Every structure is written in C-alpha cells, then in structure tokens.
C-alpha cells in the first residue's frame, strides 16, 4: 500500500535525478552517486543520513555514505544478507519506497 507521501518522495527523487543527469559537468559516476545521496537526504522528509547501494557479483556495495555509522550499518546488512537496503534491492516495493525506522533507537 502506498501513501501520498510515498508518491511525493518518489517524484522528488526522480526530479532530482533528472536534474543531475542534465548537468553537462557531471560525467563521473562517483560524483553523480554522491550528488544523488546528497539530494536524497535533502529531499526525503526526516532523513538525516544516507548512502547508495549497488550490487556487484552478488555482493552489496555501499557508496557515498554520509557518515561512518551509515557505512557500518550498510556493511552489517551486507554481511547478514538482510536489512532495509537488502530488501530494497531484492524485493523492491511497487511504490519504490522502503522505510527504515529510526535504527538508532532500536535496542
């Protein structure tokens, strides 16, 4: 089930991605990925950190985490083979949005 809020986030991220793709100076993949992460953190309501995950040879790679804590969380998800990033890659929801609750508060 999607919400209007999910649709707004997807539209905002698609708009940001299109704007990045139109910039003539962005040719480098890593710079584009870095800017996508920055745009996502700035666009997604309540987000204060982020990263982007890519798959290569059945392994999930984290690119451009905004903090070492995010890098550690992503590496743990990759090692365990589960978590919100893994879910988004293996079984993406129709809405395009995977919500990870505030993991810092879970104990």
């Amino acid at each position: 089930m999607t919400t209007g809020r999910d649709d707004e986030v997807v539209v905002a991220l698609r708009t940001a991605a299109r704007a990045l793709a139109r910039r003539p100076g962005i040719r480098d993949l890593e710079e584009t990925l870095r800017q996508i992460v920055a745009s996502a953190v700035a666009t997604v309501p309540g987000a204060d950190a982020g990263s982007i995950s890519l798959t290569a040879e059945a392994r999930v790679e984290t690119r451009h985490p905004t903090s070492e804590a995010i890098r550690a969380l992503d590496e743990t998800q990759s090692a365990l083979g589960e978590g919100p990033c893994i879910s988004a890659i293996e079984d993406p929801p129709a809405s395009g949005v995977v919500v990870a609750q505030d993991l810092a508060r879970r104990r």
Side-chain angles (χ1 to χ4, degrees):
M1 183 170 131
T2 65
T3 66
R5 187 75 154 174
D6 290 347
D7 293 340
E8 290 174 21
V9 170
V10 171
V11 168
L13 291 175
R14 284 182 182 154
T15 301
R18 286 185 189 115
L20 288 170
R22 283 194 301 265
R23 292 184 183 175
I26 297 178
R27 303 261 185 241
D28 178 62
L29 173 63
E30 293 304 318
E31 178 61 16
T32 300
L33 294 174
R34 185 192 65 72
Q35 290 186 11
I36 288 169
V37 171
S39 293
V41 171
T43 302
V44 175
D48 56 6
S51 66
I52 194 164
S53 299
L54 303 175
T55 58
E57 299 177 19
R59 178 154 168 72
V60 177
E61 296 180 5
T62 296
R63 301 282 181 88
H64 304 285
T66 57
S67 70
E68 286 305 311
I70 293 295
R71 180 184 304 280
L73 284 171
D74 285 354
E75 288 174 357
T76 299
Q77 289 180 80
S78 185
L80 295 174
E82 63 181 58
C85 293
I86 304 300
S87 296
I89 291 167
E90 292 181 349
D91 189 23
S95 70
V97 176
V98 174
V99 177
Q101 301 302 322
D102 188 350
L103 300 177
R105 294 184 186 179
R106 296 177 90 182
R107 300 205 190 266

